[in-house]
Amino acid sequence: MCRRIFTAKQQKRAFSFHLRGVKFVVAGWLGLLLAKPVVAQTKVYLAPRVDAQEAAATLRPYRFRTEHPDSAAAAKTAEDLLRQLQRDGFLAASIDSLQLASDTLVPYFHVGAHYRWAWLRPGNVPEVWLTKAGFRERFYQQMPFRGPQLARLEEALLRLAESNGYPFATLRLDSLQLQEDQLHATLHYEPGPIITFDSARVQGDVKIKSKFMARYLRIQPGDLYDQRRVETARRLLQQLPYLRELRAPTVTFSAGEARPYFFVEPRRVNQIDGIVGFLPNQRSGKLLINGQFTLELYNLFNAGKELKAHWQSTKPQSQLLDLAYVHPVLFGSLLELGANFYLLKEDSTFLNQQTQLALGYPLRQAGKLSFYTLRQRSRNNQAVATSTDPSLIPEVASFDLNSYGLAYERRSLDDLLYPHRGWLLTTQTAVGNKRIRPTATTEAWFDSIDPQSFQLQVRLRAERYSSLKSRLVLLTRVQGGALFNKNLFLNDLYRLGGLATLRGFNENFFYASRYAVGTAEVRFFTDDSSYLLVFFDQGWGQFRSPGSATPFFDFPLGAGAGLSFRTAAGIFNFVYSMGYSRAQAQAFAPSQSKIHFGLLSRF
């Protein structure tokens, strides 16, 4: 026989009181039903009465509304007041009758004795669980009875049982005795059958290896049942971009085993798109190749692996290449291996190469903590020095940088591709040793400095999606970074501008040692994957211009509108934007506007 549940909170738990020779009068609802019929009217005043003079002081500390729009609302307040009395230890409290006189509703309360704990024994509850739940016998010796306190203890103990293989455990008060206003009881724990996990089942038309899923979801056959693991597995499953959850998971119990079922469907998230152009070089007569290419492959070999490649060449003799690979459940563990290679060639100025290896650990709360090592090699390709003054820092220099860093990622998005609610947070901090290498263009300056120095790099990105209405979504985002070193060169700096950072400017328009960009964007969805948008980007930073080693501060901004909609060939994106920068002499005008568009194919 199988039992099916959704979550632990949906299980019905038994918690019963056994009284010998004593019957509690719980007449809140009964008093309301047997009382004089109440006729709805406007502005009804509540005036509680008690059955004894000494009980009148009992009601004074309680705050409740006296004026109500009708008699039904006044009766509901009287019922809430009764429940508060019972929770605070007046276990025999009741409403004996209700009377409506003109515009006043008068409930007659029987308060009764204020019960106190004589003692509460731990009974057969495991001692280690009592300690974790915060139970101390002195809290229940000659202390007032508090219903919420007892309920919290029950909830904590049953959750501990549930997380240790006993999802059907029950807890009750046994040997309950009442002597005058003193309450004596003993906790009695019934563990029920011990339950272990069977294999987790992913239901849906998806191709993914069961071995990978078992490791990734952290549910192994033979492990003690823990409802928290099912909840964690659901959060982890929602972080896979190539799957979409159809409905909440279920768990079936049979023959002492629990089998979780997760209901998903595949998503088309693999990407491939690009454009290549051929232009003649008027100076050399050679053929120039420009354009861009993007490839993103998810769930390679049905084992959750990822491969990404991005190439871009928008200027003569300049290009960018970014390769990344992610290998989850490394050697059957929870660890994740990431590798990245980045190359940037800026015409005849410099060449940057970066190689990064990262070891990540997925966290239970839809996050990931990573340790990484980064090796950067930058070479100065300039044939002529930008300055003959040896006291000035050159614009570009050759250097090697070996860094070690820590990265943290946390997200709670309802949809990874088209979120409506939730937030995303990523941080990176890296420290390293920088060694400057002499070249013909920096030799005079190199003799006057220490070639080795400490460099610190910090980056942050935080996004929040808020659903304003059923189709209206507000995106607020802050992203920034900072480099700290006494000798920073143009080939050291962050590059900003374009769709990814600051719209209204060309790609990689700004060179910054410190920057921050705030974004406010409103999206109106016409369907699940199509929307219109308006946005505003505000930037701040310490920038450098090519040809100058002197930094300056600027507050560039960008604004515009766009759309994204699904077609038979893919997803078409179009953004029209204008940017303003006082330091870079770019006006906020249609003549300086930028148009970004592209077609994204997913398979």
Side-chain angles (χ1 to χ4, degrees), residues 351-367:
L351 174 68
N352 282 355
Q353 296 181 23
Q354 292 182 6
T355 304
Q356 177 177 310
L357 288 176
L359 203 60
Y361 181 80
L363 303 177
R364 291 180 179 271
Q365 300 297 327

mmCIF file with all atom_site columns, all heavy atoms in Angstrom, residues 351-367:
data_model
loop_
_atom_site.group_PDB
_atom_site.id
_atom_site.type_symbol
_atom_site.label_atom_id
_atom_site.label_alt_id
_atom_site.label_comp_id
_atom_site.label_asym_id
_atom_site.label_entity_id
_atom_site.label_seq_id
_atom_site.pdbx_PDB_ins_code
_atom_site.Cartn_x
_atom_site.Cartn_y
_atom_site.Cartn_z
_atom_site.occupancy
_atom_site.B_iso_or_equiv
_atom_site.pdbx_formal_charge
_atom_site.auth_seq_id
_atom_site.auth_comp_id
_atom_site.auth_asym_id
_atom_site.auth_atom_id
_atom_site.pdbx_PDB_model_num
ATOM 1   N N   . LEU A 1 351 ? 47.785 42.541 -25.926 1.00 0.00 ? 351 LEU A N   1
ATOM 2   C CA  . LEU A 1 351 ? 47.186 41.221 -26.042 1.00 0.00 ? 351 LEU A CA  1
ATOM 3   C C   . LEU A 1 351 ? 47.055 40.640 -24.639 1.00 0.00 ? 351 LEU A C   1
ATOM 4   O O   . LEU A 1 351 ? 48.044 40.526 -23.916 1.00 0.00 ? 351 LEU A O   1
ATOM 5   C CB  . LEU A 1 351 ? 48.050 40.300 -26.912 1.00 0.00 ? 351 LEU A CB  1
ATOM 6   C CG  . LEU A 1 351 ? 47.601 38.832 -27.006 1.00 0.00 ? 351 LEU A CG  1
ATOM 7   C CD1 . LEU A 1 351 ? 46.282 38.725 -27.764 1.00 0.00 ? 351 LEU A CD1 1
ATOM 8   C CD2 . LEU A 1 351 ? 48.678 37.978 -27.678 1.00 0.00 ? 351 LEU A CD2 1
ATOM 9   N N   . ASN A 1 352 ? 45.813 40.287 -24.253 1.00 0.00 ? 352 ASN A N   1
ATOM 10  C CA  . ASN A 1 352 ? 45.541 39.705 -22.932 1.00 0.00 ? 352 ASN A CA  1
ATOM 11  C C   . ASN A 1 352 ? 45.136 38.238 -23.083 1.00 0.00 ? 352 ASN A C   1
ATOM 12  O O   . ASN A 1 352 ? 44.304 37.897 -23.926 1.00 0.00 ? 352 ASN A O   1
ATOM 13  C CB  . ASN A 1 352 ? 44.406 40.450 -22.221 1.00 0.00 ? 352 ASN A CB  1
ATOM 14  C CG  . ASN A 1 352 ? 44.873 41.767 -21.621 1.00 0.00 ? 352 ASN A CG  1
ATOM 15  O OD1 . ASN A 1 352 ? 46.056 42.093 -21.650 1.00 0.00 ? 352 ASN A OD1 1
ATOM 16  N ND2 . ASN A 1 352 ? 43.945 42.530 -21.091 1.00 0.00 ? 352 ASN A ND2 1
ATOM 17  N N   . GLN A 1 353 ? 45.683 37.394 -22.206 1.00 0.00 ? 353 GLN A N   1
ATOM 18  C CA  . GLN A 1 353 ? 45.287 35.989 -22.130 1.00 0.00 ? 353 GLN A CA  1
ATOM 19  C C   . GLN A 1 353 ? 44.995 35.657 -20.669 1.00 0.00 ? 353 GLN A C   1
ATOM 20  O O   . GLN A 1 353 ? 45.798 35.979 -19.795 1.00 0.00 ? 353 GLN A O   1
ATOM 21  C CB  . GLN A 1 353 ? 46.393 35.065 -22.650 1.00 0.00 ? 353 GLN A CB  1
ATOM 22  C CG  . GLN A 1 353 ? 46.718 35.233 -24.114 1.00 0.00 ? 353 GLN A CG  1
ATOM 23  C CD  . GLN A 1 353 ? 47.809 34.272 -24.570 1.00 0.00 ? 353 GLN A CD  1
ATOM 24  O OE1 . GLN A 1 353 ? 48.036 33.236 -23.952 1.00 0.00 ? 353 GLN A OE1 1
ATOM 25  N NE2 . GLN A 1 353 ? 48.482 34.621 -25.645 1.00 0.00 ? 353 GLN A NE2 1
ATOM 26  N N   . GLN A 1 354 ? 43.849 35.014 -20.432 1.00 0.00 ? 354 GLN A N   1
ATOM 27  C CA  . GLN A 1 354 ? 43.471 34.619 -19.074 1.00 0.00 ? 354 GLN A CA  1
ATOM 28  C C   . GLN A 1 354 ? 43.065 33.146 -19.077 1.00 0.00 ? 354 GLN A C   1
ATOM 29  O O   . GLN A 1 354 ? 42.307 32.710 -19.941 1.00 0.00 ? 354 GLN A O   1
ATOM 30  C CB  . GLN A 1 354 ? 42.296 35.455 -18.556 1.00 0.00 ? 354 GLN A CB  1
ATOM 31  C CG  . GLN A 1 354 ? 42.617 36.909 -18.304 1.00 0.00 ? 354 GLN A CG  1
ATOM 32  C CD  . GLN A 1 354 ? 41.438 37.664 -17.743 1.00 0.00 ? 354 GLN A CD  1
ATOM 33  O OE1 . GLN A 1 354 ? 40.403 37.083 -17.429 1.00 0.00 ? 354 GLN A OE1 1
ATOM 34  N NE2 . GLN A 1 354 ? 41.575 38.969 -17.611 1.00 0.00 ? 354 GLN A NE2 1
ATOM 35  N N   . THR A 1 355 ? 43.575 32.424 -18.105 1.00 0.00 ? 355 THR A N   1
ATOM 36  C CA  . THR A 1 355 ? 43.198 31.031 -17.903 1.00 0.00 ? 355 THR A CA  1
ATOM 37  C C   . THR A 1 355 ? 42.711 30.875 -16.465 1.00 0.00 ? 355 THR A C   1
ATOM 38  O O   . THR A 1 355 ? 43.419 31.279 -15.527 1.00 0.00 ? 355 THR A O   1
ATOM 39  C CB  . THR A 1 355 ? 44.382 30.087 -18.153 1.00 0.00 ? 355 THR A CB  1
ATOM 40  O OG1 . THR A 1 355 ? 44.890 30.310 -19.480 1.00 0.00 ? 355 THR A OG1 1
ATOM 41  C CG2 . THR A 1 355 ? 43.954 28.634 -18.024 1.00 0.00 ? 355 THR A CG2 1
ATOM 42  N N   . GLN A 1 356 ? 41.527 30.306 -16.296 1.00 0.00 ? 356 GLN A N   1
ATOM 43  C CA  . GLN A 1 356 ? 40.934 30.188 -14.963 1.00 0.00 ? 356 GLN A CA  1
ATOM 44  C C   . GLN A 1 356 ? 40.444 28.768 -14.737 1.00 0.00 ? 356 GLN A C   1
ATOM 45  O O   . GLN A 1 356 ? 39.827 28.161 -15.607 1.00 0.00 ? 356 GLN A O   1
ATOM 46  C CB  . GLN A 1 356 ? 39.769 31.175 -14.813 1.00 0.00 ? 356 GLN A CB  1
ATOM 47  C CG  . GLN A 1 356 ? 39.043 31.072 -13.482 1.00 0.00 ? 356 GLN A CG  1
ATOM 48  C CD  . GLN A 1 356 ? 37.947 32.099 -13.350 1.00 0.00 ? 356 GLN A CD  1
ATOM 49  O OE1 . GLN A 1 356 ? 38.154 33.286 -13.577 1.00 0.00 ? 356 GLN A OE1 1
ATOM 50  N NE2 . GLN A 1 356 ? 36.761 31.645 -12.970 1.00 0.00 ? 356 GLN A NE2 1
ATOM 51  N N   . LEU A 1 357 ? 40.740 28.254 -13.538 1.00 0.00 ? 357 LEU A N   1
ATOM 52  C CA  . LEU A 1 357 ? 40.205 26.974 -13.085 1.00 0.00 ? 357 LEU A CA  1
ATOM 53  C C   . LEU A 1 357 ? 39.443 27.217 -11.793 1.00 0.00 ? 357 LEU A C   1
ATOM 54  O O   . LEU A 1 357 ? 39.948 27.912 -10.901 1.00 0.00 ? 357 LEU A O   1
ATOM 55  C CB  . LEU A 1 357 ? 41.334 25.959 -12.852 1.00 0.00 ? 357 LEU A CB  1
ATOM 56  C CG  . LEU A 1 357 ? 42.036 25.402 -14.093 1.00 0.00 ? 357 LEU A CG  1
ATOM 57  C CD1 . LEU A 1 357 ? 43.178 24.493 -13.686 1.00 0.00 ? 357 LEU A CD1 1
ATOM 58  C CD2 . LEU A 1 357 ? 41.051 24.643 -14.988 1.00 0.00 ? 357 LEU A CD2 1
ATOM 59  N N   . ALA A 1 358 ? 38.247 26.658 -11.687 1.00 0.00 ? 358 ALA A N   1
ATOM 60  C CA  . ALA A 1 358 ? 37.403 26.886 -10.514 1.00 0.00 ? 358 ALA A CA  1
ATOM 61  C C   . ALA A 1 358 ? 36.865 25.559 -10.007 1.00 0.00 ? 358 ALA A C   1
ATOM 62  O O   . ALA A 1 358 ? 36.539 24.656 -10.787 1.00 0.00 ? 358 ALA A O   1
ATOM 63  C CB  . ALA A 1 358 ? 36.249 27.831 -10.851 1.00 0.00 ? 358 ALA A CB  1
ATOM 64  N N   . LEU A 1 359 ? 36.762 25.466 -8.693  1.00 0.00 ? 359 LEU A N   1
ATOM 65  C CA  . LEU A 1 359 ? 36.167 24.310 -8.036  1.00 0.00 ? 359 LEU A CA  1
ATOM 66  C C   . LEU A 1 359 ? 34.985 24.811 -7.224  1.00 0.00 ? 359 LEU A C   1
ATOM 67  O O   . LEU A 1 359 ? 35.152 25.587 -6.281  1.00 0.00 ? 359 LEU A O   1
ATOM 68  C CB  . LEU A 1 359 ? 37.192 23.626 -7.135  1.00 0.00 ? 359 LEU A CB  1
ATOM 69  C CG  . LEU A 1 359 ? 36.953 22.150 -6.787  1.00 0.00 ? 359 LEU A CG  1
ATOM 70  C CD1 . LEU A 1 359 ? 36.927 21.300 -8.058  1.00 0.00 ? 359 LEU A CD1 1
ATOM 71  C CD2 . LEU A 1 359 ? 38.030 21.649 -5.840  1.00 0.00 ? 359 LEU A CD2 1
ATOM 72  N N   . GLY A 1 360 ? 33.769 24.398 -7.607  1.00 0.00 ? 360 GLY A N   1
ATOM 73  C CA  . GLY A 1 360 ? 32.551 24.913 -6.985  1.00 0.00 ? 360 GLY A CA  1
ATOM 74  C C   . GLY A 1 360 ? 31.824 23.854 -6.182  1.00 0.00 ? 360 GLY A C   1
ATOM 75  O O   . GLY A 1 360 ? 31.921 22.652 -6.469  1.00 0.00 ? 360 GLY A O   1
ATOM 76  N N   . TYR A 1 361 ? 31.083 24.323 -5.194  1.00 0.00 ? 361 TYR A N   1
ATOM 77  C CA  . TYR A 1 361 ? 30.267 23.430 -4.356  1.00 0.00 ? 361 TYR A CA  1
ATOM 78  C C   . TYR A 1 361 ? 28.844 23.976 -4.332  1.00 0.00 ? 361 TYR A C   1
ATOM 79  O O   . TYR A 1 361 ? 28.595 25.063 -3.794  1.00 0.00 ? 361 TYR A O   1
ATOM 80  C CB  . TYR A 1 361 ? 30.824 23.358 -2.939  1.00 0.00 ? 361 TYR A CB  1
ATOM 81  C CG  . TYR A 1 361 ? 30.035 22.436 -2.027  1.00 0.00 ? 361 TYR A CG  1
ATOM 82  C CD1 . TYR A 1 361 ? 30.235 21.061 -2.070  1.00 0.00 ? 361 TYR A CD1 1
ATOM 83  C CD2 . TYR A 1 361 ? 29.082 22.940 -1.143  1.00 0.00 ? 361 TYR A CD2 1
ATOM 84  C CE1 . TYR A 1 361 ? 29.513 20.208 -1.249  1.00 0.00 ? 361 TYR A CE1 1
ATOM 85  C CE2 . TYR A 1 361 ? 28.351 22.092 -0.317  1.00 0.00 ? 361 TYR A CE2 1
ATOM 86  C CZ  . TYR A 1 361 ? 28.569 20.732 -0.377  1.00 0.00 ? 361 TYR A CZ  1
ATOM 87  O OH  . TYR A 1 361 ? 27.852 19.892 0.429   1.00 0.00 ? 361 TYR A OH  1
ATOM 88  N N   . PRO A 1 362 ? 27.876 23.264 -4.930  1.00 0.00 ? 362 PRO A N   1
ATOM 89  C CA  . PRO A 1 362 ? 26.485 23.739 -4.911  1.00 0.00 ? 362 PRO A CA  1
ATOM 90  C C   . PRO A 1 362 ? 25.924 23.704 -3.488  1.00 0.00 ? 362 PRO A C   1
ATOM 91  O O   . PRO A 1 362 ? 26.016 22.694 -2.794  1.00 0.00 ? 362 PRO A O   1
ATOM 92  C CB  . PRO A 1 362 ? 25.754 22.739 -5.817  1.00 0.00 ? 362 PRO A CB  1
ATOM 93  C CG  . PRO A 1 362 ? 26.820 22.069 -6.617  1.00 0.00 ? 362 PRO A CG  1
ATOM 94  C CD  . PRO A 1 362 ? 28.032 22.053 -5.738  1.00 0.00 ? 362 PRO A CD  1
ATOM 95  N N   . LEU A 1 363 ? 25.331 24.811 -3.062  1.00 0.00 ? 363 LEU A N   1
ATOM 96  C CA  . LEU A 1 363 ? 24.763 24.921 -1.735  1.00 0.00 ? 363 LEU A CA  1
ATOM 97  C C   . LEU A 1 363 ? 23.296 24.499 -1.751  1.00 0.00 ? 363 LEU A C   1
ATOM 98  O O   . LEU A 1 363 ? 22.640 24.497 -2.799  1.00 0.00 ? 363 LEU A O   1
ATOM 99  C CB  . LEU A 1 363 ? 24.896 26.358 -1.225  1.00 0.00 ? 363 LEU A CB  1
ATOM 100 C CG  . LEU A 1 363 ? 26.320 26.908 -1.193  1.00 0.00 ? 363 LEU A CG  1
ATOM 101 C CD1 . LEU A 1 363 ? 26.328 28.367 -0.753  1.00 0.00 ? 363 LEU A CD1 1
ATOM 102 C CD2 . LEU A 1 363 ? 27.212 26.093 -0.263  1.00 0.00 ? 363 LEU A CD2 1
ATOM 103 N N   . ARG A 1 364 ? 22.775 24.182 -0.557  1.00 0.00 ? 364 ARG A N   1
ATOM 104 C CA  . ARG A 1 364 ? 21.401 23.707 -0.457  1.00 0.00 ? 364 ARG A CA  1
ATOM 105 C C   . ARG A 1 364 ? 20.393 24.780 -0.849  1.00 0.00 ? 364 ARG A C   1
ATOM 106 O O   . ARG A 1 364 ? 19.324 24.475 -1.368  1.00 0.00 ? 364 ARG A O   1
ATOM 107 C CB  . ARG A 1 364 ? 21.105 23.233 0.975   1.00 0.00 ? 364 ARG A CB  1
ATOM 108 C CG  . ARG A 1 364 ? 21.853 21.965 1.370   1.00 0.00 ? 364 ARG A CG  1
ATOM 109 C CD  . ARG A 1 364 ? 21.508 21.560 2.792   1.00 0.00 ? 364 ARG A CD  1
ATOM 110 N NE  . ARG A 1 364 ? 22.183 20.335 3.186   1.00 0.00 ? 364 ARG A NE  1
ATOM 111 C CZ  . ARG A 1 364 ? 21.708 19.128 3.001   1.00 0.00 ? 364 ARG A CZ  1
ATOM 112 N NH1 . ARG A 1 364 ? 20.532 18.965 2.431   1.00 0.00 ? 364 ARG A NH1 1
ATOM 113 N NH2 . ARG A 1 364 ? 22.372 18.052 3.392   1.00 0.00 ? 364 ARG A NH2 1
ATOM 114 N N   . GLN A 1 365 ? 20.689 26.037 -0.569  1.00 0.00 ? 365 GLN A N   1
ATOM 115 C CA  . GLN A 1 365 ? 19.726 27.106 -0.810  1.00 0.00 ? 365 GLN A CA  1
ATOM 116 C C   . GLN A 1 365 ? 19.923 27.747 -2.183  1.00 0.00 ? 365 GLN A C   1
ATOM 117 O O   . GLN A 1 365 ? 20.009 28.964 -2.312  1.00 0.00 ? 365 GLN A O   1
ATOM 118 C CB  . GLN A 1 365 ? 19.850 28.168 0.288   1.00 0.00 ? 365 GLN A CB  1
ATOM 119 C CG  . GLN A 1 365 ? 19.582 27.639 1.676   1.00 0.00 ? 365 GLN A CG  1
ATOM 120 C CD  . GLN A 1 365 ? 18.165 27.136 1.841   1.00 0.00 ? 365 GLN A CD  1
ATOM 121 O OE1 . GLN A 1 365 ? 17.235 27.665 1.243   1.00 0.00 ? 365 GLN A OE1 1
ATOM 122 N NE2 . GLN A 1 365 ? 17.995 26.112 2.661   1.00 0.00 ? 365 GLN A NE2 1
ATOM 123 N N   . ALA A 1 366 ? 20.018 26.915 -3.230  1.00 0.00 ? 366 ALA A N   1
ATOM 124 C CA  . ALA A 1 366 ? 20.096 27.403 -4.609  1.00 0.00 ? 366 ALA A CA  1
ATOM 125 C C   . ALA A 1 366 ? 21.250 28.368 -4.791  1.00 0.00 ? 366 ALA A C   1
ATOM 126 O O   . ALA A 1 366 ? 21.110 29.426 -5.399  1.00 0.00 ? 366 ALA A O   1
ATOM 127 C CB  . ALA A 1 366 ? 18.778 28.071 -5.033  1.00 0.00 ? 366 ALA A CB  1
ATOM 128 N N   . GLY A 1 367 ? 22.407 28.024 -4.273  1.00 0.00 ? 367 GLY A N   1
ATOM 129 C CA  . GLY A 1 367 ? 23.587 28.852 -4.420  1.00 0.00 ? 367 GLY A CA  1
ATOM 130 C C   . GLY A 1 367 ? 24.803 28.001 -4.727  1.00 0.00 ? 367 GLY A C   1
ATOM 131 O O   . GLY A 1 367 ? 24.731 26.765 -4.812  1.00 0.00 ? 367 GLY A O   1
#
